[in-house]
Amino acid sequence: MAQTEMEYRRLGRSGLMISKLVLGTMNLGRPTGRTESFKMIDTALEAGINILDCADIYAGGKSEEIIGEALSRNKRRKDLILTSKVFMRVGEGPNDAGNSKHHILGRL
């Protein structure tokens, strides 16, 4: 499939150029299965999308796992920017929510 003309915009003062469209990944892993999720990611990259939006709570973490597996399979990690939100509660512990360094790094 040929790459289509995607518009790109500067992301603030970061110097990064990101696609006008972003692939949201909340449904990857639930209800969207692995195979279909891989197809969605590959199609987005082929269309010129270079940013994926995720969060550590999406599908109980399955969304991030699927993204990692898809990018390992298609060898396209260097072609895109991944975002992830980390504020929401992901466990019962006192540090399993929020924007603390401990919570953010603990999710890696």
Side-chain angles (χ1 to χ4, degrees):
M1 176 183 279
Q3 182 151 337
T4 59
E5 290 295 319
M6 177 61 67
E7 287 185 49
Y8 296 90
R9 306 272 166 83
R10 188 167 312 283
L11 180 62
R13 296 184 294 176
S14 70
L16 295 172
M17 296 297 290
I18 62 170
S19 52
K20 185 176 177 181
L21 299 176
V22 176
L23 177 63
T25 62
M26 186 166 90
N27 291 327
L28 303 186
R30 188 179 349 143
T32 308
R34 270 187 149 57
T35 302
E36 190 64 24
S37 295
F38 295 155
K39 288 179 189 176
M40 289 171 61
I41 292 168
D42 290 342
T43 300
L45 292 170
E46 288 172 15
I49 290 175
N50 72 346
I51 183 167
L52 303 182
D53 176 63
C54 197
D56 59 357
I57 62 167
Y58 290 172
K62 292 285 186 210
S63 179
E64 289 179 325
E65 290 175 15
I66 287 171
I67 292 168
E69 189 175 336
L71 298 177
S72 177
R73 290 174 55 160
N74 66 22
K75 308 293 187 225
R76 300 280 309 266
R77 174 60 184 98
K78 66 177 178 31
D79 297 334
L80 62 97
I81 297 157
L82 293 173
T83 67
S84 191
K85 298 170 285 296
V86 295
F87 180 80
M88 301 303 287
R89 181 158 296 285
V90 294
E92 298 299 319
N95 293 305
D96 289 339
N99 289 327
S100 71
K101 181 178 179 180
H102 177 80
H103 181 220
I104 293 169
L105 294 178
R107 302 299 296 165
L108 296 177

